[in-house]
Amino acid sequence: TKAKEEHLAALKRKLHACRDKNRRYALCDSLVEQYLLFNSDSAEKYIGKAMVAAQELGNLAYINKIRMLDAYILATSGHYSEAKQMMESVGKEALSGKDVVFYYETWRWIYNTWEAFMKDDARAEEYAAQGAAYLDTLCSIVPETTAEGLYFNAEKQWRKGNLMEAEKLYLRCISMLSQTDRRYASACCALAMVYEMQKRDDAKKGLATLCIG
């Protein structure tokens, strides 16, 4: 946490001293990414600043990226309908590269968190199906030779109940990532849950040792 806060403080100092619009957008975008699952209130603050910079530049790619990040944060904080509306304002046809992956991943995140909130409600099954459909899309567009592709395919196997196959894929994903990568944390968390479902306490302890380093 201390290291994270020091990094955030350094980014804020750079932003305060920056006058170049493109650079200001890049710094705001970095701050949003850093705050995304760390502090939603702060993430929203820099979402606003990043959007101002993106609109001043008239850059549609930037605007779409910020809308997606905003939707992700809204879903994380329980504002599912608002997140869905925000994603509907994203110009999908203008997306390219990593933004395409993030587009489908954000939709999946919205429906997965919505499903978890609904629990036993009849709509939970509908949201689960929506999330699964977006996961299928991610598996089809992201090569399994990449860490992201391995992660998405592991998630798919986990949902199918194929825990041993999911374990193999998560482990391969983890081996390709730095411990500072958010995907590394997500994969380790998911793998721990796989071990818990299998009642493999020793494996969980070993994973904890790996994560701590």
Side-chain angles (χ1 to χ4, degrees):
T1 299
K2 182 180 179 181
K4 180 88 166 181
E5 288 174 343
E6 288 174 351
H7 180 55
L8 287 163
L11 287 173
K12 290 175 190 177
R13 287 193 296 271
K14 290 178 181 178
L15 178 61
H16 182 72
C18 182
R19 294 294 175 266
D20 179 80
K21 290 181 180 179
N22 277 291
R23 181 61 177 155
R24 283 186 64 80
Y25 168 80
L27 288 166
C28 288
D29 182 54
S30 294
L31 282 160
V32 173
E33 293 272 9
Q34 290 293 317
Y35 272 124
L36 194 59
L37 296 177
F38 187 64
N39 185 311
S40 59
D41 288 341
S42 294
E44 283 288 359
K45 173 183 175 180
Y46 288 100
I47 280 282
K49 290 179 179 292
M51 183 58 82
V52 168
Q55 289 174 338
E56 286 179 349
L57 290 164
N59 189 312
L60 183 58
Y62 290 172
I63 291 169
N64 280 326
K65 171 77 179 297
I66 295 304
R67 285 174 176 166
M68 290 190 288
L69 285 165
D70 198 8
Y72 198 100
I73 295 164
L74 285 166
T76 303
S77 57
H79 298 89
Y80 310 112
S81 295
E82 292 92 332
K84 182 173 180 289
Q85 289 173 2
M86 183 62 70
M87 283 300 290
E88 288 170 346
S89 73
V90 173
K92 177 187 170 185
E93 66 286 346
L95 301 178
S96 61
K98 290 183 178 180
D99 286 346
V100 175
V101 176
F102 189 55
Y103 174 84
Y104 289 111
E105 192 169 7
T106 302
W107 271 119
R108 183 193 174 218
W109 178 250
I110 291 169
Y111 283 110
N112 280 1
T113 53
W114 212 343
E115 173 204 354
F117 175 76
M118 300 303 292
K119 295 181 181 176
D120 297 328
D121 190 284
R123 283 173 293 180
E125 187 174 339
E126 175 191 341
Y127 297 153
Q130 292 272 24
Y134 284 115
L135 179 58
D136 286 343
T137 300
L138 287 163
C139 288
S140 71
I141 65 173
V142 183
E144 196 175 334
T145 52
T146 65
E148 280 193 330
L150 288 164
Y151 177 81
F152 294 135
N153 278 278
E155 294 277 284
K156 186 172 182 177
Q157 293 302 320
W158 181 17
R159 290 191 71 91
K160 287 182 175 181
N162 301 329
L163 300 183
M164 294 303 292
E165 182 61 24
E167 176 188 355
K168 292 176 185 177
L169 293 168
Y170 282 130
L171 284 169
R172 286 174 59 196
C173 171
I174 290 166
S175 71
M176 296 174 69
L177 296 169
S178 162
Q179 288 188 346
T180 58
D181 194 301
R182 192 168 70 230
R183 186 80 66 189
Y184 180 98
S186 297
C188 285
C189 179
L191 182 56
M193 294 174 75
V194 167
Y195 289 150
E196 185 173 342
M197 293 170 73
Q198 296 173 315
K199 302 188 185 304
R200 293 168 60 191
D201 291 339
D202 288 345
K204 277 180 67 178
K205 291 176 182 176
L207 179 61
T209 301
L210 171 68
C211 293
I212 293 169

